[in-house]
Amino acid sequence: MKYGYLKTIWHLLVLVFVCFFVVQYFLGGSGNTNEYPSKPIQVVVPFSPGGGTDTFARIIQKGIKDNNLMPQPLVIVNKPGGGTTIGSGYAKDARNDGYTLLCLHEAMITAFVTGQSPHGPEAFESIAATGEIIQILLVGNDSPFHTMDDFMAAANAQPDTIKVGVTLSMPTHFTGLMLEDVAPGVRFRYVSSGGGAARLSSLMGGHVDAAFFSVAEYIRFKANGLRPLATFGDGRHPGAPQVPFAKELGYEMSNSNLQYWWFPKDTDPSKIAYMRTVLEEAMQTDYVQTRLEELSILPQLIVGEELRRRIGDRMVSFAGMSLKQRVDLPNVAGWTVGAILVFGLGILQSRLRSPEIVPGISDAPVLRFDLARICLLAAALYVLVMALGWLSFVWATLLFVPFCGLTLSGFSSTRILYALEISLLISFGVHFIFTKLFLVSLP
Amino acid sequence: MTGLEAAFGYLLSPYGLLLMVIGTILGITVGAVPGLTGAMLIALTLPLTFNMDPVAAFILLVSMYVGAVSGGLITATLLRMPGTPASIMTTLDGYPMAKAGRPGRALGLGITASFVGGVISWLFLISVAKPIALYSTHLGPFDFFALVLLALVLIASVGGKSMSRSFFSAACGIFVSLPGVDKATGNLRLTFGFEELNGGLKLLPVLIGMFAISQVISDISRIREKIDVIPVKKRRDMLFRLEDWKKQSMNLLRSSVIGTWIGILPGIGANIGSVTAYSAAKSVAKPDDQKKFGTGSETAVVAAESANNATIGGALIPMIALGIPGSVIDAILLGALLVHGLQPGPLLFQQNPTMVYTIMGTTLVSNIFMFAFMIFAVKYLARLATIPRGFLIPVILVFCIIGSYALSARMFDVWTMLIFGVIGFGFERLKIPLAPFVIGFVLAPVAEESLLTGLMASNGSYLPLIQRPFSLLFVTLSVILLSLSIVKNYQARVSARTH
């Protein structure tokens, strides 16, 4: 046994690490007071990290933390996808104990009135609306349209030809529809063109004639050669004071995006009031004010009765819009299913025609599908136990790893020690690395 | 060039170097253990990088990519088991060399060839990516649609043995991408009432399932197989001598350029690159050298290994410039860019030059680390293949599960992953290739969105598809490729029947 000392070192190392991780695990669970909030509050952001809403929520998070406005921090959880319905659905179904917040702008309303989302503002308690994002209509520097009136006149003279880049069923799309509403005869050809950077590149490549952006995006992308036609707020935007706003030009409409904060339905009113105060205070902090100015977000703050009125108004005005698709589009799902059937039949036919001799398997050792089945079942059980909340990650893993390990490598007394060591390392170690070092949540 | 300076500042900082060392070593390790793949490692690491700085995250992920493609040659040579699919061709000649008592020589050739291939493709990457990206704003939605079409045809006709299997796989991938919000109408489709499906099936759980879990299942079923490793003794004959350089320089250059170009083609990655370079090297070799191919030819090892590493730089070009992945790993990296809020394409160069130059810089520097580490540690790396897999497998399963969960903290993704693991294993058993599935899954949304956007802009007319020069080119190429391979397929079948 030339390497005997290696084994001793291994066992010692494992012991040290396991002790460290276990101590870390149990330290984390301390602290219990009955005062709200007694633990971190989750903020669900239904977009990817780095997007507008995510950036906004993180600014508020930092404003609260740096100024000690709350004894517990906000923790941002990104749940993108489904046209915001994944995130809002999660928040709607969360416990209304005041520890799950949703930060979502006007899309809460547009997704509901377009039928994209089964739930709307009525499924939540609105807390406050903070920060107003104003849209701006941009064309390229070489565009024939020099003013908003040129643009609208062209859209009137040749309805359905001017290509306008929007995100379908989202606030930008509605801004276009509202413009059509106040200028009879005007009809745009809406082109779905992704968000932010993707939309810019389709404008720059001449694939759309004009596109809606936020003022912040305009300031960031300005250097690419963009010409602003109008903003859509209720006044000129301080970030782009040279650009007229729609009402000033005689188009009686405005559309802006407010970031709303929501609690699940029937959250305790005292908790709503508490959170409202915290958000109000956060909006007043220097940090938030400076950062919002940098991002050209107006430091709006709407709460209480005024907030409810605004949401109601928006519901009515959006619901009146017709989002009917104006072009016939192919049935992608149908074509795909057709292709699967055709090629599937092709494979089936070729198998039937020339029943292949299962190649090379004969001299291979016996395949242990029985073991594979056992391990997969164990994995499914492991996931199920965590999904139902019967056991947390650490304890479930502590059972799962040695079970599978011993099943696969065969049961023997020396292996039990290794199984135990590895499972302790993995369960507590991964818990430490994920939740403490990388701040990723575990089941 | 502030982006370049910032990127190199970051890369050469202690933190950047540390990440690169960790990434490269982990990549090589995973490449050297049969049953673990680079795609698996990168997919499982991605969730850990969510809270990292995006630049740091990419240093880690790209160096893993480089390491994983390179590490496969160790097991290919010493065990006749390709550690990664990319080194299949290396087994043909590397293993006979090792068996004939020259394992060190075979490994040395492979390592140096990998390094040279990596550097040559890196040169292409830094010189070609930006012009393509800048030009790509001129590509309209129809052009993108035609490009994706070409990618799908390419992978189906070049990638697999049976075209109907490849197309079936691609169609399944496309189908899996469909549930969720319909891009055209904004309505939900194919969600079958599951609210969790509103956002569609996520890339990572599907990929982890298809690649990692299916691999784990097949690993388990082979757990009783014995593994014999040929020991490496002399390290001295691992380095290239002057005469090697003289003899192999044309081969190195040719194979690397082939690898790079195969890498650029969307959808097909390192394995096809090395197959093509291998055949090319064989066809230009002198008759007596030609005979050695398949029985331990040094030229063959050099060709295969320089080409598979060269595909890395090549495949990164369309990923960065167009947002179209050149290989399966690039598909994951693309997802990683989006997770970090970055939009690949022309604007990445403008808005986030640091990120672009970081990816480029990492490809080069991690190649250097790879070379150094492999030369020094190859003896010990070979032993990795013999570590007891009984305990490795449950640990991998745990990582797959939390990796899918961490993405958006919901169990739905974990179930998705497990189900796709079983599907992926089924595909492999039925000899249906997995790569077209992934490319279909990743590219279908791009294709669908560009087609719909194009149709909206053209008011429902398909004509621009053959009116615009680029889309016409791509469509023509697709049609030619498709008909060529159908004809070839038919001929093969006819000749098989007559014999």
Side-chain angles (χ1 to χ4, degrees):
Chain A
M1 283 304 277
K2 178 166 108 182
Y3 293 114
Y5 66 97
L6 277 180
K7 275 192 184 157
T8 322
I9 293 179
W10 158 258
H11 291 309
L12 276 176
L13 272 180
V14 169
L15 192 69
V16 171
F17 273 105
V18 167
C19 287
F20 173 72
F21 292 143
V22 170
V23 166
Q24 284 289 340
Y25 176 74
F26 287 106
L27 273 184
S30 65
N32 49 336
T33 44
N34 290 325
E35 204 127 317
Y36 174 79
S38 66
K39 62 178 186 187
I41 296 177
Q42 261 195 355
V43 181
V44 177
V45 171
F47 299 94
S48 308
T53 304
D54 180 68
T55 312
F56 180 81
R58 284 178 201 275
I59 291 171
I60 300 289
Q61 175 197 35
K62 193 161 178 336
I64 291 175
K65 190 176 159 223
D66 290 356
N67 295 287
N68 290 321
L69 301 180
M70 246 193 335
Q72 295 285 342
L74 294 182
V75 178
I76 310 265
V77 181
N78 298 90
K79 289 193 176 287
T84 71
T85 58
I86 297 278
S88 59
Y90 175 85
K92 177 183 71 98
D93 297 333
R95 288 173 57 190
N96 54 3
D97 55 3
Y99 291 101
T100 309
L101 259 174
L102 173 69
C103 179
L104 177 56
H105 54 61
E106 235 74 24
M108 169 71 93
I109 303 162
T110 57
F112 180 58
V113 298
T114 56
Q116 206 174 69
S117 167
H119 45 262
E122 84 294 339
F124 295 90
E125 303 286 349
S126 56
I127 308 164
T130 55
E132 188 170 22
I133 297 161
I134 303 290
Q135 288 171 19
I136 187 166
L137 183 65
L138 300 179
V139 295
N141 256 348
D142 48 0
S143 160
F145 311 124
H146 288 267
T147 64
M148 186 67 179
D149 288 332
D150 290 351
F151 177 76
M152 293 298 275
N156 195 2
Q158 291 167 295
D160 245 352
T161 53
I162 307 280
K163 290 175 268 184
V164 179
V166 298
T167 309
L168 290 178
S169 312
M170 283 288 155
T172 46
H173 192 178
F174 281 92
T175 311
L177 294 169
M178 287 170 140
L179 259 180
E180 288 178 355
D181 251 20
V182 296
V186 169
R187 261 171 81 87
F188 304 118
R189 187 187 287 180
Y190 295 107
V191 175
S192 146
S193 55
R199 197 178 301 153
L200 174 64
S201 83
S202 70
L203 181 61
M204 305 256 305
H207 309 298
V208 294
D209 300 308
F212 293 104
F213 289 89
S214 72
V215 173
E217 283 168 330
Y218 164 61
I219 292 170
R220 213 165 61 198
F221 297 151
K222 200 153 59 170
N224 291 296
L226 295 169
R227 184 186 300 150
L229 296 183
T231 55
F232 300 92
D234 286 316
R236 289 207 174 200
H237 193 285
Q242 78 286 6
V243 186
F245 62 104
K247 277 187 184 157
E248 182 184 347
L249 298 169
Y251 306 100
E252 273 306 314
M253 52 77 65
S254 69
N255 189 16
S256 66
N257 236 357
L258 278 167
Q259 298 285 5
Y260 300 91
W261 298 81
W262 316 84
F263 263 140
K265 195 75 188 162
D266 298 327
T267 300
D268 185 349
S270 71
K271 289 177 180 167
I272 300 178
Y274 177 87
M275 192 48 69
R276 185 175 72 206
T277 320
V278 170
L279 287 171
E280 280 171 345
E281 284 169 1
M283 287 301 285
Q284 302 310 318
T285 59
D286 288 340
Y287 173 77
V288 172
Q289 295 272 339
T290 337
R291 288 287 286 138
L292 293 191
E293 200 183 323
E294 279 166 26
L295 293 170
S296 310
I297 299 173
L298 304 179
Q300 268 278 17
L301 181 73
I302 306 176
V303 291
E305 196 44 49
E306 199 191 339
L307 176 63
R308 259 185 291 283
R309 206 173 326 116
R310 168 162 168 123
I311 295 173
D313 288 350
R314 305 288 280 175
M315 289 282 281
V316 173
S317 79
F318 285 152
M321 306 279 160
S322 160
L323 282 171
K324 217 172 91 57
Q325 187 55 51
R326 293 172 183 176
V327 201
D328 276 336
L329 298 168
N331 180 357
V332 184
W335 281 101
T336 314
V337 172
I340 294 181
L341 288 178
V342 168
F343 293 117
L345 280 177
I347 297 176
L348 213 73
Q349 190 208 14
S350 73
R351 275 183 86 85
L352 289 179
R353 195 191 298 159
S354 53
E356 294 161 43
I357 311 141
V358 185
I361 300 287
S362 50
D363 56 348
V366 187
L367 296 179
R368 298 295 305 267
F369 290 121
D370 55 328
L371 288 180
R373 221 168 295 135
I374 293 175
C375 281
L376 270 187
L377 275 179
L381 200 65
Y382 169 59
V383 175
L384 191 70
V385 162
M386 290 193 289
L388 296 176
W390 290 349
L391 285 177
S392 73
F393 169 78
V394 169
W395 305 108
T397 311
L398 219 45
L399 294 174
F400 171 73
V401 172
F403 172 76
C404 265
L406 290 174
T407 311
L408 290 177
S409 45
F411 191 81
S412 86
S413 53
T414 47
R415 287 197 187 119
I416 292 184
L417 181 62
Y418 283 110
L420 197 68
E421 282 177 346
I422 291 174
S423 60
L424 280 171
L425 269 184
I426 292 296
S427 53
F428 287 99
V430 166
H431 185 269
F432 172 75
I433 292 172
F434 271 61
T435 57
K436 296 273 161 65
L437 291 187
F438 290 99
L439 306 172
V440 177
S441 59
L442 287 175
Chain B
M1 287 304 236
T2 49
L4 191 64
E5 280 160 30
F8 269 91
Y10 212 119
L11 275 181
L12 301 178
S13 69
Y15 181 51
L17 287 174
L18 178 73
L19 284 174
M20 226 175 316
V21 171
I22 295 177
T24 315
I25 293 182
L26 277 179
I28 294 175
T29 311
V30 161
V33 179
L36 302 185
T37 64
M40 206 181 206
L41 174 70
I42 292 173
L44 293 183
T45 312
L46 182 56
L48 281 182
T49 69
F50 286 172
N51 288 304
M52 277 165 89
D53 182 70
V55 174
F58 267 81
I59 293 182
L60 189 65
L61 296 174
V62 172
S63 51
M64 283 176 172
Y65 186 4
V66 173
V69 173
S70 318
L73 82 99
I74 301 175
T75 39
T77 309
L78 302 180
L79 288 140
R80 206 183 175 191
M81 264 181 168
T84 54
S87 36
I88 290 172
M89 296 315 280
T90 316
T91 54
L92 297 183
D93 289 271
Y95 182 71
M97 274 181 80
K99 254 201 133 174
R102 294 187 299 155
R105 176 81 179 144
L107 287 171
L109 285 173
I111 295 170
T112 311
S114 297
F115 175 69
V116 174
V119 172
I120 290 179
S121 78
W122 177 78
L123 290 174
F124 275 96
L125 173 64
I126 55 166
S127 46
V128 179
K130 193 167 186 182
I132 294 185
L134 291 182
Y135 192 79
S136 75
T137 42
H138 296 286
L139 295 180
F142 279 109
D143 303 320
F144 266 95
F145 175 69
L147 185 62
V148 172
L149 205 66
L150 176 62
L152 286 178
V153 171
L154 256 176
I155 191 156
S157 52
V158 184
K161 290 218 165 53
S162 144
M163 272 184 64
S164 52
R165 287 201 165 113
S166 300
F167 275 118
F168 176 76
S169 175
C172 290
I174 293 173
F175 183 75
V176 167
S177 79
L178 292 179
V181 177
D182 187 335
K183 301 265 178 353
T185 58
N187 294 330
L188 292 174
R189 67 175 172 200
L190 296 174
T191 58
F192 309 105
F194 286 104
E195 210 169 293
E196 288 93 342
L197 263 178
N198 286 0
L201 291 163
K202 295 238 159 52
L203 175 75
L204 224 44
V206 173
L207 283 193
I208 294 179
M210 287 297 266
F211 283 89
I213 295 289
S214 69
Q215 183 71 47
V216 164
I217 299 177
S218 91
D219 284 352
I220 295 177
S221 57
R222 289 164 196 280
I223 197 139
R224 297 285 189 261
E225 276 176 27
K226 266 185 65 109
I227 292 172
D228 290 317
V229 185
I230 300 174
V232 188
K233 300 216 177 64
K234 278 184 281 182
R235 188 181 286 156
R236 199 160 40 81
D237 40 287
M238 286 184 41
L239 293 173
F240 253 44
R241 288 182 293 256
L242 191 64
E243 56 198 287
D244 291 330
W245 287 109
K246 272 193 206 141
K247 220 170 109 189
Q248 301 291 0
S249 56
M250 265 317 290
N251 182 16
L252 277 172
L253 193 65
R254 182 185 52 243
S255 307
S256 305
V257 171
I258 291 176
T260 309
W261 282 100
I262 299 275
I264 292 180
L265 296 178
I268 50 186
N271 34 354
I272 310 288
S274 80
V275 172
T276 317
Y278 184 93
S279 335
K282 190 174 177 182
S283 65
V284 301
K286 295 193 192 85
D288 55 327
D289 200 16
Q290 213 167 37
K291 263 180 245 150
K292 276 199 218 145
F293 271 67
T295 59
S297 158
E298 299 191 347
T299 316
V301 173
V302 169
E305 277 305 316
S306 54
N308 71 22
N309 266 57
T311 54
I312 299 176
L316 282 172
I317 294 173
M319 201 273 286
I320 297 176
L322 303 171
I324 289 186
S327 71
V328 171
I329 293 190
D330 284 275
I332 305 174
L333 289 180
L334 189 72
L337 273 180
L338 297 175
V339 161
H340 282 285
L342 298 166
Q343 176 75 38
L347 293 157
L348 192 61
F349 275 90
Q350 270 176 35
Q351 291 184 342
N352 221 316
T354 316
M355 176 54 93
V356 178
Y357 293 118
T358 302
I359 294 180
M360 292 182 173
T362 307
T363 352
L364 180 69
V365 183
S366 60
N367 246 303
I368 300 173
F369 278 134
M370 178 277 292
F371 181 73
F373 183 69
M374 294 264 277
I375 289 282
F376 280 105
V378 78
K379 274 169 77 173
Y380 314 103
L381 284 169
R383 289 224 193 93
L384 282 175
T386 60
I387 57 172
R389 281 188 285 168
F391 285 102
L392 196 58
I393 285 167
V395 173
I396 293 172
L397 274 172
V398 169
F399 273 99
C400 290
I401 287 166
I402 55 181
S404 332
Y405 175 82
L407 196 63
S408 42
R410 48 180 207 162
M411 277 298 173
F412 177 76
D413 292 328
V414 181
W415 294 117
T416 309
M417 182 220 39
L418 287 177
I419 290 168
F420 276 95
V422 176
I423 294 178
F425 182 67
F427 268 38
E428 299 236 291
R429 292 291 294 169
L430 292 172
K431 303 214 172 319
I432 298 169
L434 292 183
F437 178 94
V438 175
I439 299 300
F441 177 59
V442 174
L443 289 187
V446 179
E448 190 187 358
E449 208 173 342
S450 4
L451 179 65
L452 298 181
T453 305
L455 287 175
M456 281 180 211
S458 72
N459 218 2
S461 158
Y462 285 88
L463 273 180
L465 206 52
I466 49 170
Q467 281 170 338
R468 300 179 56 93
F470 271 102
S471 59
L472 180 63
L473 175 76
F474 297 145
V475 168
T476 322
L477 276 177
S478 319
V479 172
I480 294 177
L481 255 171
L482 196 61
S483 23
L484 271 183
S485 33
I486 288 177
V487 168
K488 231 173 83 186
N489 237 358
Y490 179 73
Q491 282 173 345
R493 201 176 285 173
V494 168
S495 71
R497 215 175 290 162
T498 49
H499 282 297

